[in-house]
């Protein structure tokens, strides 16, 4: 109870921004007339209309329909909760708001809502009005059994459901392992799902392990979908049961269901059923244990473009009469050439991933270790919520145009319909303004500019160890064996190091030596026990910057500060254990308060 109370106190201290929101104060699934507010009680309070007197410890006068959960806490449910009014459920930290906005990385501090019984978590149930529910920075964890519910292993949606920076996992159902999306109701409304910057993982269903939608009315963007299993061979992990009811099929339009700028890997069963109304663009789809894409759009109202569809058990399958517009993608042979105006490229090599066993997950090998694979395997960078599969720029390319992926967009032509690249990639990185220069797949290769700064403070007698990997963008260091071919002989007369390393002093004379390896690990060794700073540029050549013949080097400003070794014994006071534990500190604060009282 003490820890919960502290968490609530910190939220209260966070300022007025959350003052009218509903703070969930306990993790248990309780409905009880006390001063605590459970998640179930908070939602029921909103369902009842936000009465000013509150409800069982939740809310009060001027309360909003925003429900706050504390970061990294787990909130358990014994059975599902019905949501009948529009609301938002999100995670917040106990830090001061000013610091939170600067330090918080969305997705990494999520609160978890976990099903403890055999049921789904939420059922969004619109009545006469459409209910809109927002889930932000949450982990939604299903029951983890063979079946949690018949429809929607995590969520049954009969409303407008929006999910951001969330993880949806361990859901299981007959239809919709993670989400079941309802069709038309009240003659004017229709269930709609929007997911972005989210991870959908380890869900299973007979039909629609990720999403079962009665109609193609959803958006999935900037997300990762992995390790989901659909058992019914005639279904798919993302499936719409039927097209929109229209008087004339010619009125069907593509784009009511949109799947873009996302990565799919290691899903089992058919992955996506493409019917009329569906748009797929800038996707990376790999390692499906089944058919990646089943095309069944006979009314010319579906399209797919600018994607990478490789290394699946079967990349593509086409129903009789399908008329999907299929353009400008890197695909396996089962997908065919697609549109004659902007045809696909067919990949025939067995080697795709720069990983020792050609796996789609793991550490990416250097260009020295693997000079032919076109993709780095899926990995998640440090301090990032979502991982991705990075394209590689190979050293045998004499021109960037030789890449199968980079700068492979299409020229816009008025006479031919063109599938334009998405404006941003999976990470939110803006794509090139010229459509012909955008990249296939979920990731747009970035080449960092100068102005980057790194360094380290050290004591005399030690060395500095830093990494410049994060400064290289989506490129790799050129192996030292290639430097003479690309740059020429080293002007210092010494053998080249990896990255064709060059050190340029900027504000001081050189005071040490620098070494680098192919992974971007830098070791700086001072030449003596000097006191002060050595300021210089580390300049390296990468797989992308080498194409700039006049400026092949990427500069990284570096500052090493060396100080005399500190031999003084620490005299700091301990704040844990002994007489200066929490009780001692509280006593000290009490004395300070007493002193103020006496002075006043």
């Amino acid at each position: 109870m003490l820890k919960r109370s502290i968490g609530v106190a910190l939220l209260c201290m966070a300022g007025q921004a959350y003052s009218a929101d509903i703070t969930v104060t306990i993790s248990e699934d309780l409905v009880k007339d006390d001063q605590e507010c459970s998640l179930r009680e908070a939602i029921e309070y909103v369902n009842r209309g936000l009465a000013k007197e509150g409800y069982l410890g939740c809310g009060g006068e001027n309360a909003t329909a925003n429900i706050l959960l504390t970061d990294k806490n787990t909130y358990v449910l014994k059975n599902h909760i019905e949501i009948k009014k529009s609301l938002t459920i999100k995670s917040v930290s106990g830090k001061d708001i000013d610091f939170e906005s600067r330090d918080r990385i969305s997705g990494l501090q999520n609160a978890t809502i976990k099903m403890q019984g055999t049921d789904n978590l939420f059922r969004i149930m619109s009545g006469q009005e459409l209910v809109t529910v927002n889930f932000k920075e949450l982990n939604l964890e299903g029951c983890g059994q063979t079946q949690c519910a018949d429809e929607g292993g995590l969520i049954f949606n009969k409303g407008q459901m929006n999910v951001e920076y969330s993880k949806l996992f361990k859901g299981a159902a007959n239809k919709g392992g993670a989400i079941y999306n309802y069709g038309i109701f009240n003659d004017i409304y229709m269930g709609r799902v929007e997911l972005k910057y989210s991870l959908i993982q380890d869900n299973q269903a007979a039909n629609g392990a990720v999403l079962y939608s009665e109609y193609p009315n959803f958006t999935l963007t900037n997300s990762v979908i992995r390790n989901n299993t659909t058992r019914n061979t005639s279904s798919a992990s993302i499936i719409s049961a039927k097209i929109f009811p229209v008087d004339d099929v010619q009125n069907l339009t593509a784009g009511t269901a949109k799947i873009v700028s996302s990565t799919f890997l290691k899903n089992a069963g058919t992955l996506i059923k493409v019917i009329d109304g569906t748009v797929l663009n800038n996707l990376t789809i790999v390692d499906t244990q089944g058919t990646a894409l089943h095309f069944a759009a006979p009314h010319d109202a579906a399209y797919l473009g600018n994607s990478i569809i490789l290394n699946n058990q079967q990349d593509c399958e086409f129903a009789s009469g399908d008329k999907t517009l299929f353009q400008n993608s890197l695909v396996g042979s089962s997908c065919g050439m697609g549109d004659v105006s902007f045809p696909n490229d067919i990949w025939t090599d067995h080697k795709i991933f720069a990983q020792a066993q050609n796996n789609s997950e793991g550490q990416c090998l250097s260009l020295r270790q693997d000079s032919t694979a076109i993709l780095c395997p899926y990995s998640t960078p440090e301090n990032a919520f979502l991982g991705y599969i990075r394209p590689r720029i190979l050293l045998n390319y004499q021109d960037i145009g030789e890449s199968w992926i980079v700068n492979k967009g299409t020229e816009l032509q008025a006479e031919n319909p063109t599938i334009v690249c998405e404006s941003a990639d999976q990470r939110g990185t803006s794509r090139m303004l010229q459509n012909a220069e955008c990249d296939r797949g979920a990731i747009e290769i970035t080449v960092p500019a100068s102005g980057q700064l790194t360094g380290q403070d050290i004591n005399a007698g030690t060395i500095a160890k830093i990494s410049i990997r994060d400064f290289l963008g989506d490129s790799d260091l050129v192996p030292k064996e290639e430097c003479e071919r690309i740059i020429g002989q080293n002007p210092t007369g010494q053998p080249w190091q990896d990255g064709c390393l060059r050190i340029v002093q900027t504000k001081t004379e050189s005071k040490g030596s620098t070494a680098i390896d192919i992974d971007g690990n830098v070791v700086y060794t001072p030449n003596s026990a000097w006191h002060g700073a050595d300021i210089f540029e580390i300049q390296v050549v990468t797989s992308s910057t080498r194409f700039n013949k006049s400026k092949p080097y990427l500069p990284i400003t570096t500052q090493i500060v060396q100080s005399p070794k500190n031999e003084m014994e620490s005299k700091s006071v301990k704040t844990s254990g002994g007489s200066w534990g929490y009780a001692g500190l509280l006593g000290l604060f009490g004395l300070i308060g007493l002193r103020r009282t006496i002075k006043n």
Side-chain angles (χ1 to χ4, degrees):
M1 262 336 251
L2 176 60
K3 292 183 73 174
R4 285 196 217 107
S5 299
I6 291 172
V8 174
L10 287 171
L11 284 173
C12 293
M13 291 167 61
Q16 298 301 314
Y18 298 147
S19 60
D21 295 336
I22 305 165
T23 300
V24 174
T25 60
I26 57 172
S27 59
E28 292 86 355
D29 189 10
L30 298 177
V31 177
K32 186 178 180 182
D33 190 4
D34 55 16
Q35 296 303 308
E36 303 288 358
C37 179
S38 69
L39 177 58
R40 187 178 298 275
E41 291 170 335
I43 293 174
E44 180 60 21
Y45 172 58
V46 177
N47 288 343
R48 290 169 177 247
L50 300 170
K52 65 179 181 179
E53 62 270 17
Y55 172 76
L56 301 182
C58 301
E61 193 167 1
N62 299 320
T64 71
N66 293 327
I67 298 173
L68 309 183
L69 308 182
T70 304
D71 282 352
K72 298 184 178 181
N73 276 12
T74 297
Y75 301 81
V76 296
L77 298 179
K78 298 174 183 177
N79 48 52
H80 75 269
I81 301 177
E82 286 196 358
I83 301 176
K84 302 175 183 179
K85 296 285 187 180
S86 296
L87 57 79
T88 294
I89 305 175
K90 62 182 179 179
S91 298
V92 296
S93 75
K95 294 182 180 180
D96 183 86
I97 300 303
D98 292 336
F99 289 104
E100 180 181 336
S101 61
R102 287 180 289 179
D103 299 342
R104 187 181 181 86
I105 299 174
S106 296
L108 291 186
Q109 294 84 27
N110 292 359
T112 297
I113 303 174
K114 179 179 180 179
M115 174 48 61
Q116 201 172 52
T118 304
D119 202 346
N120 46 23
L121 297 171
F122 301 109
R123 298 182 187 180
I124 301 169
M125 305 297 292
S126 296
Q128 294 304 309
E129 297 182 358
L130 182 69
V131 171
T132 298
V133 177
N134 304 305
F135 298 107
K136 296 182 178 181
E137 298 186 64
L138 301 172
N139 295 333
L140 304 179
E141 182 177 351
C143 73
Q145 301 182 32
T146 304
Q147 183 164 315
C148 304
D150 184 54
E151 295 178 332
L154 296 176
I155 301 170
F156 175 93
N157 176 56
K158 187 180 178 182
Q160 169 73 44
M161 170 183 157
N162 307 310
V163 181
E164 294 183 58
Y165 294 103
S166 294
K167 180 180 179 181
L168 284 66
F169 64 116
K170 293 187 179 181
N174 177 33
K175 294 180 179 180
I179 302 168
Y180 184 98
N181 189 39
Y182 198 80
I184 299 171
F185 54 95
N186 294 350
D187 296 327
I188 56 173
Y189 298 126
M190 182 178 296
R192 180 166 179 80
V193 173
E194 296 191 8
L195 299 110
K196 58 183 178 180
Y197 295 109
S198 291
L199 173 63
I200 301 95
Q201 179 177 345
D202 297 327
N203 301 286
Q204 59 175 309
N207 305 279
V210 174
L211 171 65
Y212 185 100
S213 187
E214 293 188 14
Y215 292 98
N217 194 33
F218 56 86
T219 297
L220 192 158
T221 182
N222 305 96
S223 295
V224 173
I225 298 87
R226 56 175 302 183
N227 300 96
N228 302 283
T229 301
T230 295
R231 297 185 297 274
N232 191 335
T233 56
S234 63
S235 187
S237 287
I238 299 177
I239 185 169
S240 300
K242 50 194 172 184
I243 63 174
F244 285 113
V246 291
D247 296 332
D248 185 347
V249 293
Q250 301 303 316
N251 293 329
L252 287 169
T253 58
T256 55
K258 192 175 182 181
I259 307 172
V260 299
S261 299
S262 296
T263 296
F264 296 76
L265 76 155
K266 292 189 174 180
N267 297 284
T270 300
L271 180 60
I272 303 173
K273 186 174 182 180
V274 183
I275 70 170
D276 287 295
T278 309
V279 165
L280 300 96
N281 199 18
N282 283 116
L283 303 177
T284 299
I285 303 176
V286 299
D287 265 9
T288 306
Q289 299 306 302
T291 301
L293 300 170
H294 177 81
F295 296 91
H299 303 301
D300 198 23
Y303 66 74
L304 184 153
N306 308 306
S307 295
I308 299 170
I309 307 160
L310 293 175
N311 211 49
N312 304 286
Q313 186 174 329
Q314 182 172 355
D315 295 312
C316 296
E317 181 180 71
F318 297 88
S320 177
D322 174 73
K323 294 182 181 178
T324 302
L325 179 63
F326 195 174
Q327 286 185 352
N328 189 44
S329 296
L330 179 60
V331 298
S333 58
S334 64
C335 296
M337 296 297 294
D339 180 49
V340 294
S341 299
F342 304 105
N344 299 324
D345 281 335
I346 308 296
W347 179 261
T348 57
D349 196 338
H350 74 284
K351 180 69 173 179
I352 296 174
F353 296 103
Q355 203 273 346
Q357 284 77 42
N358 196 27
N359 288 334
S360 59
E361 285 187 88
Q363 184 175 357
C364 191
L365 298 177
S366 69
L367 288 171
R368 174 184 294 122
Q369 296 167 305
D370 188 317
S371 61
T372 61
I374 58 173
L375 295 174
C376 278
Y378 180 90
S379 64
T380 304
E382 187 178 0
N383 294 324
F385 176 45
L386 298 178
Y388 55 89
I389 293 173
R390 174 171 69 86
R392 300 170 87 226
I393 302 173
L394 303 182
L395 295 178
N396 62 350
Y397 299 159
Q398 299 302 309
D399 182 87
I400 194 63
E402 296 180 34
S403 170
W404 293 81
I405 297 170
V406 181
N407 288 10
K408 286 297 181 181
T410 56
E411 295 284 355
L412 301 183
Q413 297 181 7
E415 63 274 17
N416 291 316
T418 304
I419 302 174
V420 178
C421 286
E422 297 300 308
S423 60
D425 77 352
Q426 177 189 306
R427 302 169 297 185
T429 302
S430 296
R431 292 187 181 271
M432 303 299 291
L433 293 177
Q434 297 295 326
N435 195 65
E437 296 178 357
C438 78
D439 300 344
R440 287 169 170 162
I443 298 301
E444 183 81 6
I445 288 289
T446 61
V447 180
S450 58
Q452 303 164 102
L453 176 65
T454 188
Q456 192 174 343
D457 294 348
I458 60 174
N459 290 327
T462 62
I463 60 175
K465 294 182 178 181
I466 58 178
S467 173
I468 62 167
R469 173 63 260 180
D470 291 343
F471 299 111
L472 304 181
D474 296 317
S475 303
D476 298 282
L477 288 177
V478 168
K480 57 188 176 184
E481 298 85 2
E482 301 289 333
C483 290
E484 192 162 325
R485 177 179 66 85
I486 296 171
I487 301 297
Q489 290 188 342
N490 191 336
T492 67
Q494 300 295 316
W496 282 113
Q497 295 191 56
D498 289 319
C500 314
L501 177 69
R502 190 167 68 180
I503 300 297
V504 177
Q505 296 299 137
T506 54
K507 296 184 178 180
T508 64
E509 294 182 356
S510 177
K511 300 178 181 180
S513 59
T514 305
I516 191 171
D517 66 19
I518 193 67
D519 297 316
N521 299 309
V522 175
V523 175
Y524 174 89
T525 305
N527 56 20
S528 65
W530 46 265
H531 182 202
D534 192 351
I535 303 173
F536 54 92
E537 279 187 350
I538 292 175
Q539 297 187 353
V540 290
V541 179
T542 72
S543 54
S544 58
T545 61
R546 69 186 179 90
F547 291 110
N548 189 335
K549 301 302 182 183
S550 62
K551 294 183 66 177
Y553 276 95
L554 173 69
I556 301 167
T557 300
T558 307
Q559 178 172 291
I560 305 297
V561 177
Q562 183 173 242
S563 302
K565 188 175 181 180
N566 185 1
E567 301 289 354
M568 293 182 64
E569 182 180 350
S570 174
K571 300 296 184 181
S572 59
V573 177
K574 293 182 180 180
T575 58
S576 63
S579 61
W580 285 105
Y582 286 114
L585 287 175
L586 289 172
L588 177 61
F589 293 148
L591 289 173
I592 293 172
L594 178 62
R595 182 172 180 269
R596 287 179 178 169
T597 303
I598 292 171
K599 287 184 68 176
N600 290 335

